[in-house]
Amino acid sequence: MPITDETQRFTALSARLTGFDAGDLAATGLVEAYRAVAAERLGADRYAQLLREPPDARDVREAARAVTYLWYTGSWPGPSPTLVSPRGYAEGLVWKAAGLTAPATAPGGYGSWAEGTER
Amino acid sequence: MTRYDVIVVGAGIAGSLVAQRLGRHGRRVLVLEAGAKAGRAPAGDPLTDYLTAAARLPGSPYRSRPAAASPEVTDLAGTDGTPGFRAAGHLLQDGPLPYASGYVRANGGTGNVWTGLTPRMLPEDFDTESFGYGRAWPLTYDDLEPHYRSAEAELGVAADADEQRAHLGLRFPDGYVFPMRPLPAARLDRLLAARLDGRRVEDPVGLREVELRVVGTPHARNGVPDPRYDGGRGYVPRGRDGRPDPGSRCVGNASCIPHCPSYAKYTPLKTQGRWSSSVTLRDRSVVSRVLVDGRGRATGVEYRSYDGEVSVAHADVVVLAAHAVENARLLLLSGLADRSGQVGRNLMDHPVLLTWGLLPEGEHAGAYRGPGSVSGFEGFRSGPARKLRAPFRVEFGTWGWIWAKGPVDTDVAHFLTEQGLFGEELRRAVGDRVRRQFTFQFEMEQGADPANRVTLHPTERDALGLPRPLVTYDLDEHVKEGMAAARAVSDQLFALLGAEDHTDYTPSAAWPGRFEHRGRTYGYRGAGHAAGTHIMGGSRATSVVDAWQRCWDHPGLYAVGCGSMPSVATSNPTLTMAALALRSAERIEADLTARDHPLSLRPTVPGAPA
Ligand SMILES: Cc1cc2nc3c(=O)[nH]c(=O)nc-3n(C[C@H](O)[C@H](O)[C@H](O)COP(=O)(O)OP(=O)(O)OC[C@H]3O[C@@H](n4cnc5c(N)ncnc54)[C@H](O)[C@@H]3O)c2cc1C
Ligand code: SF4
């Protein structure tokens, strides 16, 4: 898939919002999918505004939070958040931030839950 | 029409075990199951399997169907005011406090989604009347002991017999080992053991000091087989559908509730996979009535398909195994077995006091890596303190704050919305929080109280036109005093650990089970351990079933499951339930043998009442 200007701008925005760099984000394989979700959920105007304005500006704050939440959890926020794809759950940045993997995605093997302690 | 020897109602853990045992004797068994058979996962991809089971995606095998509805987590919500909760959906409630547990009506039942912890009851649990509460069992620990071993074989239990003997006072035959070696302790367990083993905490309600000792919990999930098992014959772990799978191990998916993608956790589907060909499963068949003849003997059942078509099946023995709440509902719908007036009464659960917090800065609990709880403190389960407060088992929760606050998504929302963090700051805050999280789960024994009960709702009907179950439930002083003791213990544990206590039973919407006691607020969850609704006893005047789980009033009618338990004790109840079910299967087999050979002399089952 060609890397468009818009993809680049969405990646840069996402990096600022999440604290993960463009390489980490690209490694999830979800940039394009999330860009499309954000554009669809926010609507053209709000999406364009989000790309334009600093993320902590008052009028884009909620949109910025939604995109960040999407990256961290794989779900778009709402009264009952909707999971975008199984991959979104597995690649949720919340797990990476804690140095963990999402349950049921990459089991560490028998006894892995004991790791990191002697005895 | 085919005539069956036995009809089993419900293919959960209890029903699947009874059918398996009788099938092994060649009995013709019809299993009628309200739920649908789980379809095979489309791609067999473990992640998709799990997410589908967790109902994050459509098509969940455990989604409730209108014709066989069951309580959903979202059916219960806290409110401000009195009572402080609202119940909607299948299980309606009108008590002062909520019965906060659910169950699953799909093939395999609640046993699909359970955690898989399998401790035995303590010998003293079989008679708590000397402690001034509860009801005595018509059998003892020693009567049940051989059946515990059978249940441990069927479910495939990993545990350490020496540790259970030393720290819990459990009696095992000499040389007994469990089928599999104990699971390795979790990182959190080791950390707690290093800091707390041998320390003493005060129980201000039980008026004594308790020495802390981290003890491994028995698990019905595959570990390393013990070659000494069964007189040196060893044990072969069972994998998907109960197939022998020597290499199957719990690999730490941390998704046992609701689904183990590696099939290391026991579910009834493993038992069903070993049913003989004389056992027939008919799913989407909702039993609505038990049929009896003029003398009260069970002759069969009436059941309905999802589109309401009514059928009848006949057998010599009918075994209700539809879960504590639904068993009671079925007896009430049939107007049977209630000479004692106890059907539906004595509903018990383990109300669970949760406390949660963060390990000291820089430390990490190793959350979300193995089973939801691997070890606990067992020192608060026994002894004379039971006179003063409910006893409790303490489980260490290794899945962060999931039970108290919801999945980690909640932490993300907290830092994003309440603290306004973005970027590097957000990443650091979320990572730190998830790494340091842990929970204590204090599971209280609740004594049998006839006022806590299941009845039929006077007006509300389900999709098949059957009255919905209505629950009236409360916690008594004994349980509340147990929670007060638990909270005081928790306070000391946090202080000894230097951990940050984040326990806070707000917002009220998230805590339907909430009450004030001596000026402090407590919040509880339900463990899913429904018991007591067709209580077992030594007399037909005061109990619904006898020591074999036979309904006193109706020859040929059994009600099996936790509903028979006169006390729920402090152990997760399913192993005890399984032991009782296997014991009943022996009795049923003996009944059927007597039917087939009425005149022959045969050995009586040991301990059988004449
Ligand atoms: C989240 C959770 C975790 C748990 N963890 C543990 C644990 O770690 N340790 C432990 O000991 N216990 C645990 N439990 C409790 C355990 O799941 C139950 O004790 C056990 O599953 C009860 O088995 P059962 O066979 O009696 O009922 P179920 O497993 O509920 O099975 C009953 C079956 O009957 C069927 N049925 C219902 N009504 C009808 C009808 N009218 N006609 C036909 N069929 C019907 C249902 O569809 C179901 O298949 C947990 C429970 C929950 C909810
Ligand atoms: S931790 Fe994972 S592998 Fe182990 S039983 Fe639970 S889900 Fe299965």
Side-chain angles (χ1 to χ4, degrees):
Chain A
M1 190 172 300
I3 299 183
T4 60
D5 244 21
E6 210 203 313
T7 305
Q8 259 169 19
R9 281 196 298 162
F10 181 72
T11 306
L13 168 77
S14 297
R16 268 203 317 276
L17 292 176
T18 61
F20 284 78
D21 66 27
D24 293 332
L25 299 178
T28 65
L30 288 162
V31 175
E32 197 43 45
Y34 283 178
R35 190 201 60 70
V37 170
E40 191 213 310
R41 293 285 192 145
L42 294 171
D45 292 352
R46 278 172 75 213
Y47 176 66
Q49 193 186 15
L50 177 63
L51 287 182
R52 212 167 45 232
E53 291 187 24
D56 48 354
R58 257 195 113 81
D59 42 348
V60 296
R61 179 158 281 197
E62 205 181 309
R65 275 186 196 137
V67 171
T68 313
Y69 187 85
L70 177 62
W71 273 110
Y72 268 79
T73 66
S75 296
W76 190 260
S80 54
T82 33
L83 185 68
V84 169
S85 73
R87 176 146 196 178
Y89 162 80
E91 296 288 343
L93 296 180
V94 57
W95 304 109
K96 297 180 206 262
L100 300 170
T101 54
T105 60
Y110 183 67
S112 53
W113 51 91
E115 267 163 30
T117 42
E118 46 302 303
R119 217 182 85 129
Chain B
M1 197 193 324
T2 321
R3 191 168 169 94
Y4 295 94
D5 295 313
V6 181
I7 291 170
V8 174
V9 180
I13 297 180
S16 297
L17 287 172
V18 168
Q20 193 260 340
R21 280 298 157 109
L22 295 169
R24 212 165 69 177
H25 291 287
R27 299 296 172 190
R28 287 153 302 166
V29 182
L30 174 66
V31 182
L32 294 171
E33 166 53 50
K37 280 187 214 168
R40 289 275 162 262
D45 164 46
L47 176 59
T48 314
D49 266 16
Y50 162 61
L51 291 173
T52 314
R56 283 164 176 272
L57 293 176
S60 161
Y62 312 139
R63 210 186 50 211
S64 134
R65 328 264 154 161
S70 47
E72 309 275 345
V73 190
T74 46
D75 286 348
L76 202 58
T79 56
D80 294 313
T82 320
F85 75 96
R86 187 168 5 94
H90 179 64
L91 189 69
L92 299 164
Q93 305 204 32
D94 68 356
L97 285 172
Y99 170 74
S101 286
Y103 52 92
V104 174
R105 293 216 281 173
N107 181 36
T110 319
N112 288 301
V113 305
W114 75 317
T115 311
L117 304 181
T118 49
R120 293 184 179 194
M121 280 172 56
L122 308 176
E124 69 176 45
D125 288 334
F126 289 79
D127 183 7
T128 58
E129 284 177 358
S130 60
F131 299 120
Y133 73 95
R135 297 193 20 164
W137 289 58
L139 37 99
T140 64
Y141 176 87
D142 295 313
D143 293 331
L144 202 56
E145 203 285 329
H147 306 282
Y148 267 134
R149 277 179 278 137
S150 304
E152 284 156 358
E154 292 296 337
L155 271 54
V157 174
D160 181 343
D162 292 335
E163 188 185 34
Q164 296 284 305
R165 194 183 279 118
H167 297 302
L168 289 161
L170 292 181
R171 295 188 286 270
F172 302 99
D174 286 346
Y176 180 67
V177 296
F178 283 86
M180 291 169 283
R181 296 188 187 278
L183 292 196
R187 180 186 172 107
L188 174 68
D189 308 344
R190 288 164 202 253
L191 193 144
L192 296 179
R195 310 240 168 119
L196 300 176
D197 269 358
R199 304 292 292 262
R200 301 178 77 82
V201 291
E202 195 163 333
D203 168 359
V205 185
L207 302 176
R208 58 174 197 151
E209 279 198 337
V210 176
E211 186 178 312
L212 300 174
R213 169 84 40 206
V214 174
V215 179
T217 308
H219 288 256
R221 52 172 57 68
N222 292 332
V224 178
D226 193 325
R228 297 169 299 171
Y229 183 69
D230 195 15
R233 275 179 289 275
Y235 178 84
V236 181
R238 297 182 186 286
R240 188 168 189 169
D241 298 325
R243 286 192 290 261
D245 187 355
S248 173
R249 301 282 183 277
C250 168
V251 290
N253 277 301
S255 65
C256 340
I257 306 174
H259 176 66
C260 173
S262 54
Y263 301 94
K265 182 186 78 171
Y266 171 82
T267 77
L269 302 187
K270 293 193 182 191
T271 297
Q272 292 181 14
R274 302 194 300 122
W275 279 348
S276 75
S277 57
S278 64
V279 179
T280 307
L281 175 69
R282 200 166 292 162
D283 73 341
R284 299 164 199 251
S285 301
V286 184
V287 173
S288 45
R289 200 152 62 96
V290 177
L291 307 172
V292 296
D293 67 15
R295 298 212 311 268
R297 165 172 277 282
T299 58
V301 298
E302 174 193 274
Y303 63 101
R304 303 180 188 210
S305 67
Y306 282 9
D307 48 24
E309 196 188 316
V310 179
S311 310
V312 166
H314 292 288
D316 286 342
V317 176
V318 173
V319 181
L320 303 183
H323 178 274
V325 171
E326 295 293 334
N327 267 1
R329 183 176 173 223
L330 264 173
L331 288 173
L332 293 169
L333 284 171
S334 313
L336 295 178
D338 202 20
R339 199 164 354 147
S340 65
Q342 296 298 306
V343 170
R345 293 188 182 271
N346 308 299
L347 174 66
M348 295 172 267
D349 191 10
H350 287 134
V352 186
L353 184 82
L354 299 178
T355 64
W356 60 98
L358 300 175
L359 289 177
E361 260 176 70
E363 298 192 11
H364 100 82
Y368 292 101
R369 286 204 302 198
S373 176
V374 187
S375 308
F377 290 130
E378 308 287 347
F380 304 90
R381 292 175 64 183
S382 57
R386 297 178 89 155
K387 288 189 180 146
L388 300 168
R389 50 126 178 100
F392 49 90
R393 207 170 89 73
V394 190
E395 292 178 351
F396 306 155
T398 54
W399 290 354
W401 295 352
I402 195 165
W403 206 8
K405 304 288 281 182
V408 289
D409 306 24
T410 323
D411 299 303
V412 174
H414 168 80
F415 288 113
L416 261 177
T417 310
E418 277 162 54
Q419 306 216 357
L421 303 187
F422 282 112
E424 184 56 37
E425 268 186 319
L426 174 69
R427 178 178 175 168
R428 225 175 308 118
V430 167
D432 175 70
R433 164 104 1 148
V434 173
R435 267 195 305 273
R436 290 163 57 203
Q437 287 176 340
F438 69 98
T439 300
F440 290 124
Q441 304 164 185
F442 298 88
E443 310 223 337
M444 299 289 138
E445 175 173 30
Q446 170 172 40
D449 174 352
N452 288 336
R453 64 189 296 204
V454 180
T455 51
L456 298 177
H457 197 283
T459 52
E460 292 288 327
R461 300 279 181 276
D462 70 11
L464 292 175
L466 305 170
R468 288 186 195 281
L470 172 68
V471 161
T472 310
Y473 185 83
D474 200 3
L475 301 182
D476 65 10
E477 282 294 301
H478 195 241
V479 172
K480 290 179 177 172
E481 288 286 86
M483 291 202 187
R487 188 65 205 264
V489 167
S490 173
D491 291 345
Q492 295 168 73
L493 296 176
F494 275 97
L496 288 169
L497 290 168
E500 271 172 45
D501 195 340
H502 282 245
T503 308
D504 175 21
Y505 307 110
T506 63
S508 52
W511 291 94
R514 203 159 74 130
F515 61 89
E516 302 258 327
H517 181 65
R518 298 184 196 273
R520 206 167 180 181
T521 301
Y522 297 86
Y524 68 91
R525 301 271 191 243
H529 300 170
T533 54
H534 41 87
I535 207 157
M536 173 193 287
S539 146
R540 62 173 70 235
T542 54
S543 58
V544 180
V545 299
D546 69 9
W548 298 100
Q549 304 188 84
R550 282 185 300 208
C551 292
W552 286 108
D553 306 342
H554 304 286
L557 180 60
Y558 286 71
V560 303
C562 295
S564 296
M565 294 171 68
S567 68
V568 69
T570 45
S571 40
N572 315 50
T574 305
L575 182 80
T576 301
M577 175 195 85
L580 290 171
L582 293 169
R583 186 170 175 275
S584 292
E586 283 183 11
R587 181 72 235 175
I588 295 166
E589 178 55 28
D591 291 351
L592 293 170
T593 308
R595 175 203 67 183
D596 296 341
H597 309 285
L599 295 175
S600 73
L601 286 175
R602 63 204 150 70
T604 50
V605 175

